[in-house]
Amino acid sequence: MNWTIRTEGFDRDQIPAMENRFFCGNGYLGIRGAPEEFGKEEMPAVNLAGIFDKTGEGWREPLNAPNGLYTFLRVDGEEYGLPEQEPLQHELELDYRHGILYRKTSWKTRRGIVTVRSERFAGRKDVHLIAMRYAVSADFHGEIELCEGIDGDVWDIHGPHYDQICSESISMEKEELQNRPDGWRWEKDCLRLEGITHEKKDAAAVAECICRDFPCDVKVMRKEKQILRCFSFVSEIGREYSLEKGIAVYTSRDVETMPEDPALWGKSSRRAEKISELLRSKEVQTLLQFMKNGYEEEKKLQIQAWEEKWSMSQVEIEGDDSAMEALNYSIYHLMSIAPAPGSNLSIPARGLSGQTYKGAVFWDTEMFMLDFFLFTDPDVARSLVKYRVDTLAGAQKKAADYGYEGAFYAWESQERGFDACTDYNVTDVFTGRPMRTYFKDKQYHISAAAAYGILRYLAVTGDESLLAQGGLETVVECARFYYSLLVKRAVSEAYEIHDVIGPDEYHERVNNNAYTNRMAKFVLEAAAGLLDEFVRKGEIHLKMKEAPAKESSAKEPPAQEQTAEPPVQEPEWRNDPKQAERQAEQFREAAEKLYIPEPDAAGIIPQFDGYEKLEDASLEQVRSRLLNPREYWGGAYGVASETKVIKQADVVTMLNLFSGEYSDEIKKKNWEYYEPRTEHGSSLSSCMYAMLACKCGMAEKACPFFEKSARADLDGGGKEWAGLVYIGGTHPAAAGGAYMTAVEGFGGVSIQNGKLQVNSCLPEKWKRLKFCVCCRGIGYRVEIKRENDEIKTEIQKI
Amino acid sequence: MNWTIRTEGFDRDQIPAMENRFFCGNGYLGIRGAPEEFGKEEMPAVNLAGIFDKTGEGWREPLNAPNGLYTFLRVDGEEYGLPEQEPLQHELELDYRHGILYRKTSWKTRRGIVTVRSERFAGRKDVHLIAMRYAVSADFHGEIELCEGIDGDVWDIHGPHYDQICSESISMEKEELQNRPDGWRWEKDCLRLEGITHEKKDAAAVAECICRDFPCDVKVMRKEKQILRCFSFVSEIGREYSLEKGIAVYTSRDVETMPEDPALWGKSSRRAEKISELLRSKEVQTLLQFMKNGYEEEKKLQIQAWEEKWSMSQVEIEGDDSAMEALNYSIYHLMSIAPAPGSNLSIPARGLSGQTYKGAVFWDTEMFMLDFFLFTDPDVARSLVKYRVDTLAGAQKKAADYGYEGAFYAWESQERGFDACTDYNVTDVFTGRPMRTYFKDKQYHISAAAAYGILRYLAVTGDESLLAQGGLETVVECARFYYSLLVKRAVSEAYEIHDVIGPDEYHERVNNNAYTNRMAKFVLEAAAGLLDEFVRKGEIHLKMKEAPAKESSAKEPPAQEQTAEPPVQEPEWRNDPKQAERQAEQFREAAEKLYIPEPDAAGIIPQFDGYEKLEDASLEQVRSRLLNPREYWGGAYGVASETKVIKQADVVTMLNLFSGEYSDEIKKKNWEYYEPRTEHGSSLSSCMYAMLACKCGMAEKACPFFEKSARADLDGGGKEWAGLVYIGGTHPAAAGGAYMTAVEGFGGVSIQNGKLQVNSCLPEKWKRLKFCVCCRGIGYRVEIKRENDEIKTEIQKI
């Protein structure tokens, strides 16, 4: 198979799409696939994981680091670069096997043709490193100026986030680095630029070192938000003039000197100086290592590191190259944004492709991405689910703020579980007014996703240590949250959950959403089971004491909105087995009595109370009622709101998760019923239809939905703009959904009582499907072959 | 005091307002104060009580009868009439002591001045009679043509409602009527016009007889929807040429020949003929009586009948003539729309002033108008509350349709309790789309109003016979409805009511609206009490059997929407005292545990859960945010929805009804808090503020609110148009509220355990307040005097 994607030519309208498609990342940072000369208008970004800022009334969003890749070219004093100068030729090529982006662009100058070639990657070994090669050649003699440096004037959606920017040169006089055996020369000074944010005075600092294979004049320049170094020379015909550049990226999240007393987090210049000093020393470490290795050696290490990853994660599909390539490209994206184990990070809904969706973690991570990591890299999976444990206090505070008990997780989770979701998430296109939405207040299923992640992690890895480190408490707190949501009508014995938004966001404030209720039941049952087991083992007291509840807070100062520490109450059951038993009993009783919508006479499970009474308009009818192409379909008066048309898989998602509880007939009927009524207005939708189709033996029907998921970022075409706000980016949940469909849907992998089961359902075209999965600490190589119309499955321990 | 209101001059823009202000009515029909020559464009109407039709997709609305008042004038072949011909002079005068409207209009013709004088009234003795006098004089010799007859081309909001119109002449050869002693001559023929509706083929028929004091040529003409008779003569200078006209109005509701089998209610011409025949004979009876009496005698009888009414209802206020006149004018309106006892009718929200608000009965009747009738005319009061008993089956069906138990009364009740309220009651001014509103589904307090009416009737009249005739069952069914609404959170012992709209309609779908919860508690307690008492008396079995549940259905065919009779289940408690006890116990327990929002630390009762968290914007701020003066303030995204600004009294209404349970301090604090946050966007609002001000000793503060209520129809100025739909009309709830404020607020009348109590609170200006009230079958004359800064109260039995 071909592990590269390529594009030729340059289309101004495709700039954001290309930047997403040719993305590189390493979990610490993500680099949009932008040409080096792009300024903020063209939306380049080195997006940083887990560090946020809010300016004025704008949304709180993650930082884009000062852009250390910034490089541009002058010929005879005239600048040549995209998008201003129409190129003669422009090519991008991403080696997504190894996360390396290659670029080649030529322009016609008055004297002749000048060509730029570059390559770059986000370091896998040292995630603070970005390595880059940049070369220019000309078919004429001319005055060439190669300018490079750090651009602090970064692209922001709701910025600018740096209200202070400082730049400097750092002398790096180290004898052994002065003379490279290949004759390249290191510049003696590194350039450095640091941005300080408004909100918490966080610092994002970038330093760079550079090496060249040609003699030239060198000039360092500082502009207001940039520090630049220009290399001037007269070109020889045909000779390539090359730079190698190491870029070190650190933020104040990476240094642990924050004083305990928040009063000292203010504008103290001493604190800022201290942080700068620490950051500088770390940057120098990273750069020295790069200087020691040089670009080519770093690239070898990069390739090695990726090859290691692929050994577990690659999926082979014989008979369908296009599917195989799309799927592995999806997997590349997942691996590019996976946080380092132990980093206290999870994955935002748009990965690290920019500031879209506020860099926040949604239910996408647990419900769509987690399985990939569980099966291929359980340490990353642990980090993802640990994120919810670490943000429990934030979830408890949110629950208390809304008058509930337990843990109500952030719909859009930033650091410490701060909910970045606003009460007004959509703008009314007719009035320009913000519309009150209820994503934050009523999408209760988010807490189930948090608990589900932990329980899924336990089921696949068998690693119970997480329970002792706060996992048990997290699940119990989620169960307490659901318990506190339950209502019972005076005239009924059943528990119900009212006034909720399910996965289908077009229908707000409904009662008894099937998905939400079933997930609540799952959490209540699981919490009861865990409590029972720990009471049995007599371990409660001990285990709970281990919970390192403060681990993360040391590193992360609270957001402005969150200065007061939420009052985490010691749960009653913690030190008292009797209380724990009672708590378990309460959960079990609630789970038993919780009403779960059942299939009606036609076998259809109503998505919520009264769904069946809504207008049964077709998708086309509903679309035809739009008065403005950008108007919101949901909300109180949206075109879909009073119809059966839904945004995304909802009942179908529930059937996927609890497929063992429903007959194939019911699953099929609901699939057939809901699919034509689904807009698939979310990239989370298609994979759920693909998965469920596999689970009831409809592999061929699954194929187009699988492809849509797998190609989400390859083909693009999703919504990029909401009014004037950019909402594009990559779609890791679709990528994760594609992986799940391949391995768990077509591949039929499941974990039953800790044992790997394979019950495949291949489409006709697929002759062989091969992949590895981890289960309970053991790796397995799974091969499913079609031989003479018979399916054979081989499972080997690695 | 002056018992007349007058207007001089003619202003085209004031046409609808004048027609409301100069309204006449008798409970069977209402006549808008329109000049006789007005055609449907000018919105004249003889509005009929309790008979409805729906055409196409239009709202279901009450019928306007064919207009028997229709009369116009030609001079030398040219028509003189309003609004086309600018008058030289135009005067209207309403004697609201006796319900007689006088009109005088002059036009300048080419030959000289022609003047019309007319008077008319809606018969109080025979409600089917409209009597009218019409005279013309000229200061020149000219060819005058006086045309009069019946105009079937009536004004409709969502019409036309008659798809068949037939007219005829009926010969009335009766010797004794031919020659009147005063020389007037009766026309031998009566004109008659009958309209047949679409929906149920109801008939509305009008016949008229006419008498004149001058010789002339007579010509009868039929147009498509009119039957006319023209009197031509040459005028003598200064002589007045007069007509007297009797108009008989009947509908198929007045004849009892409807076959039992609905299959026969279709287009059967035989049925229609049969009905016509019966109607014709009734009309002739009415006309013969009028012919026997003549106009002047009828007018005497009219004056007598009104004087009798005023003997109980007049309120005298010494020291404030303006208040006294406005109040008695309000009382005039209430008396003009009071249904005849035993008529199975209640009072629509806009009285009989037209088709606005679908001619439907709202909570206005019980909560704002009932007290006036209880205190002055208990037989009418009985009719009003009996209406809810008679429409119980409709309320039970509505409850069942929504998945509740018991009786959920129609928000906009038409015959048999059919709910005319639609799911889309407001049009979005920005998109032109209908907006989903929840008035019908979630304004649960309507059933409390129905039960409250019955209980209030019992409390004031002591007439327990109503209980035996379905009253008890109605209250119990309302209680069962509330019981079925109750929910209990798993983490609480309290019952709550969620997802509701209280009186303040700007805040939709809230939890625990204080008014709704308190009213529910009241109904639950009252039902328990009634059940207890009847168990104690051992009367259940007997009493229930008497309930004449079918009384009304014989007369009223079901609406199209309602062809199936709702399945009225025999309540379990009906024949089993044990069941009744259990039911009472259940209600009592629910009432005890029902959560009633309590005053917060500042003494403010939150209108609903979370009200305190809403934006505390001022009324002016909220108004300034309107982008379109006609946009709806409420709904999901209205300018008021996320603020504390409310449409009308809500907590204040609750405090009024349960004022004994709250200290004066709490009442005052809530009054002061909510008043500036109230838009008073409903005519139901001011009187509640006026009443509560009186109840906590703030008589002066009450005054402007009292005046606003009392002058609602005198001054006009309320909203008249919503987009293209006329929503104007009279405001009987404001009238009723004004009465309540005068008698129960300033006057301080209350009924405590069946005893009349007076605890007055007069404003400075009022020197004496005098009125009569009925209590427990006894009339009392109450006089409250201010003498040397002391208030003296005298109560005398009549």
Side-chain angles (χ1 to χ4, degrees), chain B residues 19 80 131 169 207 310 370 406 510 515 595 703 705 719 727:
Chain B
E19 289 175 359
Y80 283 86
S169 300
W310 283 112
L370 179 63
V510 300
Y515 175 83
Y595 164 70
C703 283
F705 296 95
K719 284 186 194 167
I727 59 161

Side-chain angles (χ1 to χ4, degrees), chain B residues 203-270:
Chain B
V206 173
E208 53 105 292
C209 58
I210 201 137
C211 188
R212 59 187 151 88
D213 67 354
F214 58 95
C216 60
D217 286 342
V218 183
K219 197 164 65 178
V220 172
M221 294 182 303
R222 293 195 199 191
K223 293 191 180 178
E224 198 192 345
K225 293 181 171 183
Q226 292 178 338
I227 183 163
L228 297 177
R229 175 154 44 190
C230 291
F231 304 98
S232 317
F233 55 91
V234 175
S235 57
E236 292 171 30
I237 292 171
R239 174 175 172 180
E240 193 168 63
Y241 299 85
S242 301
L243 300 174
E244 285 180 11
K245 188 168 173 177
I247 301 156
V249 182
Y250 284 87
T251 74
S252 46
R253 279 193 87 249
D254 301 310
V255 296
E256 297 193 32
T257 55
M258 223 60 80
E260 275 299 309
D261 181 359
L264 298 175
W265 292 343
K267 296 193 175 183
S268 156
S269 67
R270 280 172 58 208

Side-chain angles (χ1 to χ4, degrees), chain A residues 200-201 258-269 271 557-558 563:
Chain A
K200 293 185 301 180
K201 300 299 163 192
M258 221 59 80
E260 275 299 310
D261 181 359
L264 299 175
W265 293 342
K267 296 194 178 183
S268 156
S269 65
R271 174 178 169 274
T563 44

